[in-house]
Amino acid sequence: LEADSNIECLQSDTIYKVDERGRWTMELDIQLKILNEAGRQHLSVLPFTYDATRSTLEILEAKAITNGKEFIVSKQKIEDKPLASDPL
């Protein structure tokens, strides 16, 4: 861990599942620790880039843990918006 780090990765697991037709899903579980205000600002919005014409993205759960208390991020607070550079 570098002295000037803003975020510490506590856990990162990626699971790929492929069905008999070759379709796949990816499940990502990430636990990050915010170390300072710059880290909080950086993680206030997490972008996930994907091709919406060929893929789907579903956030199964999002939460913040502060001093051992969990704060669930409601589905209404999770936005799925196209990039300005995406084709219509």
Side-chain angles (χ1 to χ4, degrees):
L1 186 64
E2 295 180 25
D4 61 346
S5 294
N6 301 320
I7 302 162
E8 177 183 356
C9 182
L10 301 176
Q11 177 181 330
S12 179
D13 296 317
T14 305
I15 299 170
Y16 291 93
K17 296 177 184 174
V18 181
D19 71 13
E20 64 281 348
R21 293 175 47 193
R23 297 178 302 183
W24 60 274
T25 60
M26 178 181 72
E27 187 172 313
L28 183 61
D29 181 9
I30 303 172
Q31 293 181 20
L32 303 171
K33 181 177 182 179
I34 298 170
L35 302 177
N36 53 36
E37 180 62 21
R40 187 182 73 78
Q41 290 292 327
H42 181 77
L43 291 179
S44 64
V45 175
L46 289 176
F48 291 94
T49 305
Y50 66 101
D51 181 350
T53 62
R54 300 182 337 182
S55 304
T56 58
L57 174 71
E58 179 182 5
I59 306 296
L60 301 177
E61 180 180 59
K63 63 184 171 184
I65 303 172
T66 304
N67 297 325
K69 185 172 180 182
E70 291 187 2
F71 299 90
I72 303 297
V73 177
S74 70
K75 295 282 187 181
Q76 293 80 14
K77 297 283 186 184
I78 298 173
E79 297 179 350
D80 186 2
K81 300 189 295 187
L83 295 173
S85 60
D86 283 350
L88 296 177

